[in-house]
């Protein structure tokens, strides 16, 4: 006998860095199992892969996950977690009082977790009276490729070139994906140092998930408060 199938609800979701809208469904039991296994492994690579696969499966409409910034993926995962399991996260955390370290169970609301340092206007950078660029945030893959020496000028240069979306002036908008990469490089090479600083500043304030955690220790009644930053800090 064919058993009934239950319709899965669908929810609108917005990609933070681009403002694009998609439809997302909750993850299913079979999908959650894979995620839990990855989390048990505590291997950041496995967890990242599981999260990425989960988002790809649950978002409809051809989202290119490789084009997203790390904080996009983290925010999407939180929203996916909220519609799938609920908006509360239970967390085990230690009392901050000296000598106590008592483990406390605290509950936080996913909707209170903010993307700090995120302002879509930051991605539009005016370089002169009539010329400017629009930027996108580095993807996880891109940062993975250049890991280690983010401070070197060569590295910064290749990140900048990969992350320029458009160059614009009074009359035209040039899509850098369609332009010759050597010409884009040439454009950057011919900026003044001050102008280049304006662009590199964009990469210095990476948005991050943040939550001010406050709780009273059940053992010593000390009030602890500290910031949780980044997705991993919410699932330990
Ligand atoms: Zn305590």
């Amino acid at each position: 006998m064919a058993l009934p199938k239950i319709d899965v609800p669908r929810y609108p979701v917005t990609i933070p860095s681009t403002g694009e809208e998609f439809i997302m469904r909750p993850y299913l039991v079979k999908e959650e199992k894979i995620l839990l296994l990855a989390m048990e492994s505590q291997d950041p690579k496995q967890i990242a892969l599981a999260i990425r696969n989960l988002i790809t499966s649950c978002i409809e409409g051809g989202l290119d996950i490789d084009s997203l910034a790390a904080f996009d993926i983290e925010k999407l995962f939180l929203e996916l977690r909220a519609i799938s399991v609920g908006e509360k996260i239970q967390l085990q955390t230690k009392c901050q009082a000296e000598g106590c370290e008592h483990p406390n169970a605290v509950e936080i609301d996913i909707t209170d977790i903010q993307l700090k340092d995120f302002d879509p206007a930051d991605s539009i950078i005016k370089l002169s009276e009539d010329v400017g660029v629009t930027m996108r945030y580095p993807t996880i893959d891109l940062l993975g490729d250049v890991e280690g020496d983010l401070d070197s000028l060569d590295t910064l240069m290749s990140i900048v070139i990969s992350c320029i979306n458009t160059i614009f002036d009074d009359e035209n908008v040039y899509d850098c994906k369609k332009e010759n990469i050597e010409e884009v490089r040439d454009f950057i090479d011919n900026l003044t140092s001050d102008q280049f600083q304006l662009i590199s500043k964009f990469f210095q304030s990476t948005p991050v998930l943040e939550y001010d955690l406050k709780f009273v220790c059940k053992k010593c009644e000390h009030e602890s408060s500290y910031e949780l930053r980044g997705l991993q800090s919410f699932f330990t």
Side-chain angles (χ1 to χ4, degrees):
M1 187 174 70
L3 296 174
K5 281 211 167 104
I6 305 171
D7 276 341
V8 180
R10 286 170 160 74
Y11 304 85
V13 64
T14 305
I15 310 296
S17 74
T18 63
E20 288 176 291
E21 292 187 353
F22 288 90
I23 297 292
M24 184 158 71
R25 65 158 171 86
Y27 52 74
L28 310 173
V29 171
K30 59 182 177 184
E31 291 164 329
E32 185 174 28
K33 275 188 200 156
I34 299 170
L35 176 69
L36 293 177
L37 274 176
M39 285 188 165
E40 273 171 25
S41 79
Q42 296 192 336
D43 172 1
K45 278 196 177 145
Q46 268 198 54
I47 297 171
L49 184 67
I51 287 177
R52 193 190 157 97
N53 288 343
L54 205 53
I55 291 173
T56 309
S57 310
C58 295
I59 290 190
E60 298 172 357
L63 170 72
D64 176 12
I65 198 153
D66 289 325
S67 70
L68 299 185
F71 67 88
D72 282 325
I73 293 180
E74 296 199 342
K75 188 78 165 63
L76 286 177
F77 177 66
L78 278 187
E79 289 183 25
L80 181 55
R81 168 81 171 48
I83 64 167
S84 304
V85 189
E87 285 171 356
K88 309 282 187 217
I89 300 178
Q90 320 291 334
L91 209 66
Q92 286 288 332
T93 185
K94 281 182 184 160
C95 172
Q96 305 281 296
E98 235 183 272
C100 178
E101 296 194 352
H102 181 70
N104 284 263
V106 293
E107 185 178 83
I108 61 180
D109 194 318
I110 286 182
T111 53
D112 291 334
I113 301 173
Q114 305 292 333
L115 254 188
K116 202 179 166 213
D117 287 337
F118 177 62
D119 180 356
D122 286 348
S123 63
I124 305 165
I125 302 168
K126 287 277 274 181
L127 298 171
S128 74
E129 198 63 19
D130 46 11
V131 178
V133 293
T134 61
M135 308 294 298
R136 63 179 176 81
Y137 287 93
T139 63
I140 296 177
D141 282 353
L142 179 66
L143 288 178
D145 287 345
V146 298
E147 208 175 356
D149 51 352
L150 274 170
D151 289 334
S152 89
L153 189 61
D154 275 354
T155 308
L156 184 57
M157 192 70 161
S158 58
I159 292 178
V160 166
I161 290 170
S162 307
C163 294
I164 291 191
N165 255 348
T166 64
I167 298 170
F168 60 85
D169 58 22
D170 276 350
E171 279 153 27
N172 290 302
V173 177
Y174 306 90
D175 181 347
C176 290
K177 281 189 283 301
K178 292 178 188 153
E179 300 295 325
N180 184 319
I181 188 158
E182 286 312 318
E183 282 181 41
V184 177
R185 188 182 296 273
D186 208 45
F187 173 84
I188 301 292
D189 276 337
N190 284 296
L191 295 176
T192 65
S193 186
D194 282 354
Q195 289 165 337
F196 189 70
Q197 282 293 323
L198 291 174
I199 294 179
S200 58
K201 231 176 81 189
F202 172 78
F203 297 104
Q204 283 156 16
S205 60
T206 310
V208 64
L209 294 176
E210 201 173 271
Y211 180 87
D212 290 324
L213 183 67
K214 284 194 179 71
F215 64 96
V216 175
C217 176
K218 290 196 177 66
K219 191 177 169 198
C220 74
E221 297 190 347
H222 172 79
E223 190 182 309
S224 299
S225 90
Y226 63 97
E227 276 178 357
L228 294 172
R229 286 170 71 86
L231 187 62
Q232 278 186 351
S233 61
F234 298 100
F235 296 97
T236 46

